[in-house]
mmCIF file of all heavy atoms in Angstrom:
data_model
loop_
_atom_site.group_PDB
_atom_site.id
_atom_site.type_symbol
_atom_site.label_atom_id
_atom_site.label_comp_id
_atom_site.label_asym_id
_atom_site.label_seq_id
_atom_site.Cartn_x
_atom_site.Cartn_y
_atom_site.Cartn_z
ATOM 1 N N VAL C 1 1.278 -5.445 -3.814
ATOM 2 C CA VAL C 1 2.035 -4.569 -2.934
ATOM 3 C C VAL C 1 1.740 -3.121 -3.289
ATOM 4 O O VAL C 1 1.781 -2.733 -4.457
ATOM 5 C CB VAL C 1 3.546 -4.835 -3.040
ATOM 6 C CG1 VAL C 1 4.338 -3.791 -2.261
ATOM 7 C CG2 VAL C 1 3.868 -6.232 -2.530
ATOM 8 N N GLN C 2 1.465 -2.316 -2.257
ATOM 9 C CA GLN C 2 1.226 -0.887 -2.439
ATOM 10 C C GLN C 2 2.150 -0.109 -1.511
ATOM 11 O O GLN C 2 2.313 -0.469 -0.344
ATOM 12 C CB GLN C 2 -0.227 -0.529 -2.138
ATOM 13 C CG GLN C 2 -1.258 -1.267 -2.973
ATOM 14 C CD GLN C 2 -1.288 -0.796 -4.405
ATOM 15 O OE1 GLN C 2 -0.944 0.351 -4.713
ATOM 16 N NE2 GLN C 2 -1.706 -1.682 -5.299
ATOM 17 N N LEU C 3 2.740 0.978 -2.028
ATOM 18 C CA LEU C 3 3.619 1.846 -1.261
ATOM 19 C C LEU C 3 3.053 3.263 -1.287
ATOM 20 O O LEU C 3 2.778 3.793 -2.360
ATOM 21 C CB LEU C 3 5.029 1.852 -1.844
ATOM 22 C CG LEU C 3 5.707 0.489 -2.043
ATOM 23 C CD1 LEU C 3 7.060 0.667 -2.717
ATOM 24 C CD2 LEU C 3 5.873 -0.218 -0.705
ATOM 25 N N VAL C 4 2.902 3.869 -0.115
ATOM 26 C CA VAL C 4 2.346 5.215 -0.013
ATOM 27 C C VAL C 4 3.253 6.062 0.860
ATOM 28 O O VAL C 4 3.425 5.778 2.050
ATOM 29 C CB VAL C 4 0.919 5.198 0.563
ATOM 30 C CG1 VAL C 4 0.375 6.620 0.650
ATOM 31 C CG2 VAL C 4 0.008 4.334 -0.293
ATOM 32 N N GLU C 5 3.814 7.138 0.276
ATOM 33 C CA GLU C 5 4.718 8.022 1.010
ATOM 34 C C GLU C 5 3.953 9.133 1.721
ATOM 35 O O GLU C 5 2.872 9.541 1.287
ATOM 36 C CB GLU C 5 5.748 8.665 0.069
ATOM 37 C CG GLU C 5 6.615 7.682 -0.692
ATOM 38 C CD GLU C 5 6.127 7.463 -2.098
ATOM 39 O OE1 GLU C 5 4.897 7.600 -2.339
ATOM 40 O OE2 GLU C 5 6.949 7.155 -2.976
ATOM 41 N N SER C 6 4.571 9.655 2.772
ATOM 42 C CA SER C 6 4.056 10.815 3.470
ATOM 43 C C SER C 6 5.214 11.527 4.160
ATOM 44 O O SER C 6 6.295 10.958 4.323
ATOM 45 C CB SER C 6 2.985 10.426 4.496
ATOM 46 O OG SER C 6 3.528 9.597 5.505
ATOM 47 N N GLY C 7 4.992 12.771 4.562
ATOM 48 C CA GLY C 7 5.986 13.507 5.313
ATOM 49 C C GLY C 7 6.757 14.545 4.523
ATOM 50 O O GLY C 7 7.594 15.253 5.095
ATOM 51 N N GLY C 8 6.506 14.652 3.237
ATOM 52 C CA GLY C 8 7.191 15.649 2.443
ATOM 53 C C GLY C 8 6.717 17.052 2.762
ATOM 54 O O GLY C 8 5.685 17.251 3.404
ATOM 55 N N GLY C 9 7.485 18.038 2.314
ATOM 56 C CA GLY C 9 7.132 19.420 2.554
ATOM 57 C C GLY C 9 8.303 20.343 2.328
ATOM 58 O O GLY C 9 9.302 19.971 1.712
ATOM 59 N N ARG C 10 8.173 21.553 2.834
ATOM 60 C CA ARG C 10 9.213 22.562 2.697
ATOM 61 C C ARG C 10 9.944 22.733 4.020
ATOM 62 O O ARG C 10 9.322 22.813 5.085
ATOM 63 C CB ARG C 10 8.605 23.896 2.261
ATOM 64 C CG ARG C 10 9.622 25.010 2.053
ATOM 65 C CD ARG C 10 8.944 26.287 1.566
ATOM 66 N NE ARG C 10 8.411 26.130 0.224
ATOM 67 C CZ ARG C 10 9.102 26.402 -0.878
ATOM 68 N NH1 ARG C 10 10.358 26.833 -0.802
ATOM 69 N NH2 ARG C 10 8.540 26.229 -2.059
ATOM 70 N N VAL C 11 11.279 22.801 3.944
ATOM 71 C CA VAL C 11 12.094 22.945 5.136
ATOM 72 C C VAL C 11 13.249 23.894 4.853
ATOM 73 O O VAL C 11 13.710 24.012 3.722
ATOM 74 C CB VAL C 11 12.616 21.564 5.615
ATOM 75 C CG1 VAL C 11 13.565 20.957 4.585
ATOM 76 C CG2 VAL C 11 13.288 21.674 6.969
ATOM 77 N N GLN C 12 13.706 24.575 5.875
ATOM 78 C CA GLN C 12 14.812 25.508 5.746
ATOM 79 C C GLN C 12 16.140 24.773 5.618
ATOM 80 O O GLN C 12 16.313 23.664 6.137
ATOM 81 C CB GLN C 12 14.843 26.432 6.960
ATOM 82 C CG GLN C 12 15.851 27.562 6.882
ATOM 83 C CD GLN C 12 15.808 28.449 8.114
ATOM 84 O OE1 GLN C 12 14.996 28.251 9.009
ATOM 85 N NE2 GLN C 12 16.678 29.443 8.161
ATOM 86 N N ARG C 13 17.074 25.373 4.912
ATOM 87 C CA ARG C 13 18.419 24.818 4.803
ATOM 88 C C ARG C 13 18.969 24.488 6.186
ATOM 89 O O ARG C 13 18.838 25.286 7.122
ATOM 90 C CB ARG C 13 19.345 25.807 4.098
ATOM 91 C CG ARG C 13 20.798 25.363 4.003
ATOM 92 C CD ARG C 13 21.691 26.484 3.477
ATOM 93 N NE ARG C 13 21.598 27.672 4.304
ATOM 94 C CZ ARG C 13 22.257 27.843 5.441
ATOM 95 N NH1 ARG C 13 23.075 26.885 5.885
ATOM 96 N NH2 ARG C 13 22.100 28.956 6.125
ATOM 97 N N GLY C 14 19.572 23.316 6.316
ATOM 98 C CA GLY C 14 20.120 22.875 7.583
ATOM 99 C C GLY C 14 19.134 22.150 8.476
ATOM 100 O O GLY C 14 19.533 21.611 9.522
ATOM 101 N N GLY C 15 17.881 22.123 8.083
ATOM 102 C CA GLY C 15 16.860 21.469 8.874
ATOM 103 C C GLY C 15 16.809 19.971 8.662
ATOM 104 O O GLY C 15 17.593 19.397 7.906
ATOM 105 N N SER C 16 15.858 19.337 9.331
ATOM 106 C CA SER C 16 15.683 17.892 9.265
ATOM 107 C C SER C 16 14.257 17.542 8.878
ATOM 108 O O SER C 16 13.321 18.306 9.131
ATOM 109 C CB SER C 16 16.020 17.243 10.610
ATOM 110 O OG SER C 16 17.356 17.488 10.989
ATOM 111 N N LEU C 17 14.104 16.374 8.284
ATOM 112 C CA LEU C 17 12.792 15.911 7.858
ATOM 113 C C LEU C 17 12.814 14.395 7.769
ATOM 114 O O LEU C 17 13.828 13.812 7.366
ATOM 115 C CB LEU C 17 12.429 16.516 6.500
ATOM 116 C CG LEU C 17 10.975 16.442 6.038
ATOM 117 C CD1 LEU C 17 10.082 17.277 6.956
ATOM 118 C CD2 LEU C 17 10.860 16.927 4.602
ATOM 119 N N THR C 18 11.711 13.764 8.140
ATOM 120 C CA THR C 18 11.590 12.318 8.034
ATOM 121 C C THR C 18 10.431 11.966 7.112
ATOM 122 O O THR C 18 9.306 12.434 7.314
ATOM 123 C CB THR C 18 11.371 11.662 9.407
ATOM 124 O OG1 THR C 18 12.530 11.859 10.225
ATOM 125 C CG2 THR C 18 11.142 10.161 9.251
ATOM 126 N N LEU C 19 10.708 11.156 6.112
ATOM 127 C CA LEU C 19 9.684 10.653 5.211
ATOM 128 C C LEU C 19 9.300 9.243 5.632
ATOM 129 O O LEU C 19 10.148 8.465 6.061
ATOM 130 C CB LEU C 19 10.183 10.636 3.767
ATOM 131 C CG LEU C 19 10.741 11.942 3.206
ATOM 132 C CD1 LEU C 19 11.174 11.745 1.758
ATOM 133 C CD2 LEU C 19 9.716 13.055 3.326
ATOM 134 N N SER C 20 8.024 8.923 5.482
ATOM 135 C CA SER C 20 7.535 7.598 5.825
ATOM 136 C C SER C 20 6.845 6.960 4.634
ATOM 137 O O SER C 20 6.213 7.640 3.832
ATOM 138 C CB SER C 20 6.561 7.666 7.001
ATOM 139 O OG SER C 20 7.207 8.123 8.174
ATOM 140 N N CYS C 21 6.971 5.655 4.545
ATOM 141 C CA CYS C 21 6.347 4.886 3.481
ATOM 142 C C CYS C 21 5.567 3.745 4.111
ATOM 143 O O CYS C 21 6.149 2.895 4.798
ATOM 144 C CB CYS C 21 7.406 4.352 2.521
ATOM 145 S SG CYS C 21 6.787 3.225 1.252
ATOM 146 N N SER C 22 4.272 3.738 3.872
ATOM 147 C CA SER C 22 3.409 2.685 4.385
ATOM 148 C C SER C 22 3.316 1.562 3.358
ATOM 149 O O SER C 22 3.013 1.799 2.188
ATOM 150 C CB SER C 22 2.023 3.237 4.692
ATOM 151 O OG SER C 22 1.149 2.212 5.123
ATOM 152 N N VAL C 23 3.579 0.342 3.798
ATOM 153 C CA VAL C 23 3.590 -0.816 2.912
ATOM 154 C C VAL C 23 2.384 -1.690 3.187
ATOM 155 O O VAL C 23 2.135 -2.085 4.326
ATOM 156 C CB VAL C 23 4.872 -1.647 3.092
ATOM 157 C CG1 VAL C 23 4.866 -2.847 2.144
ATOM 158 C CG2 VAL C 23 6.100 -0.791 2.877
ATOM 159 N N SER C 24 1.639 -2.007 2.144
ATOM 160 C CA SER C 24 0.540 -2.954 2.249
ATOM 161 C C SER C 24 0.772 -4.099 1.270
ATOM 162 O O SER C 24 1.438 -3.935 0.251
ATOM 163 C CB SER C 24 -0.802 -2.281 1.973
ATOM 164 O OG SER C 24 -0.858 -1.764 0.653
ATOM 165 N N GLY C 25 0.216 -5.245 1.574
ATOM 166 C CA GLY C 25 0.463 -6.425 0.776
ATOM 167 C C GLY C 25 1.767 -7.078 1.185
ATOM 168 O O GLY C 25 2.473 -6.609 2.076
ATOM 169 N N SER C 26 2.107 -8.167 0.522
ATOM 170 C CA SER C 26 3.311 -8.901 0.879
ATOM 171 C C SER C 26 3.937 -9.547 -0.345
ATOM 172 O O SER C 26 3.289 -9.737 -1.377
ATOM 173 C CB SER C 26 2.995 -9.965 1.932
ATOM 174 O OG SER C 26 2.071 -10.919 1.440
ATOM 175 N N LEU C 27 5.209 -9.889 -0.194
ATOM 176 C CA LEU C 27 5.975 -10.559 -1.230
ATOM 177 C C LEU C 27 6.548 -11.854 -0.681
ATOM 178 O O LEU C 27 6.773 -11.987 0.523
ATOM 179 C CB LEU C 27 7.111 -9.667 -1.727
ATOM 180 C CG LEU C 27 6.718 -8.381 -2.453
ATOM 181 C CD1 LEU C 27 7.931 -7.476 -2.608
ATOM 182 C CD2 LEU C 27 6.124 -8.698 -3.812
ATOM 183 N N PHE C 28 6.794 -12.796 -1.566
ATOM 184 C CA PHE C 28 7.435 -14.033 -1.163
ATOM 185 C C PHE C 28 8.855 -13.770 -0.677
ATOM 186 O O PHE C 28 9.305 -14.368 0.303
ATOM 187 C CB PHE C 28 7.433 -15.030 -2.331
ATOM 188 C CG PHE C 28 8.162 -16.304 -2.030
ATOM 189 C CD1 PHE C 28 7.598 -17.268 -1.216
ATOM 190 C CD2 PHE C 28 9.413 -16.549 -2.566
ATOM 191 C CE1 PHE C 28 8.264 -18.449 -0.931
ATOM 192 C CE2 PHE C 28 10.092 -17.722 -2.294
ATOM 193 C CZ PHE C 28 9.514 -18.675 -1.472
ATOM 194 N N TYR C 29 9.539 -12.874 -1.348
ATOM 195 C CA TYR C 29 10.903 -12.526 -0.999
ATOM 196 C C TYR C 29 11.155 -11.054 -1.290
ATOM 197 O O TYR C 29 10.812 -10.567 -2.362
ATOM 198 C CB TYR C 29 11.890 -13.392 -1.789
ATOM 199 C CG TYR C 29 13.334 -12.991 -1.634
ATOM 200 C CD1 TYR C 29 14.023 -13.273 -0.464
ATOM 201 C CD2 TYR C 29 14.001 -12.314 -2.657
ATOM 202 C CE1 TYR C 29 15.346 -12.901 -0.310
ATOM 203 C CE2 TYR C 29 15.320 -11.938 -2.506
ATOM 204 C CZ TYR C 29 15.991 -12.236 -1.336
ATOM 205 O OH TYR C 29 17.303 -11.868 -1.195
ATOM 206 N N VAL C 30 11.758 -10.345 -0.339
ATOM 207 C CA VAL C 30 12.118 -8.941 -0.502
ATOM 208 C C VAL C 30 13.626 -8.831 -0.659
ATOM 209 O O VAL C 30 14.385 -9.311 0.189
ATOM 210 C CB VAL C 30 11.639 -8.097 0.689
ATOM 211 C CG1 VAL C 30 12.122 -6.653 0.540
ATOM 212 C CG2 VAL C 30 10.130 -8.145 0.803
#
């Protein structure tokens, strides 16, 4: 299993931001 984040950065107070994590591979149970 590999996890890779994206979407980070600098934002002004009161703003919004969405982070994403791409998942590769699989598990028998999560």
Side-chain angles (χ1 to χ4, degrees):
V1 172
Q2 302 288 333
L3 306 176
V4 180
E5 301 99 331
S6 63
R10 182 178 292 270
V11 65
Q12 187 179 357
R13 177 188 57 81
S16 300
L17 195 65
T18 295
L19 306 181
S20 296
C21 174
S22 177
V23 181
S24 62
S26 62
L27 295 168
F28 176 75
Y29 172 74
V30 176

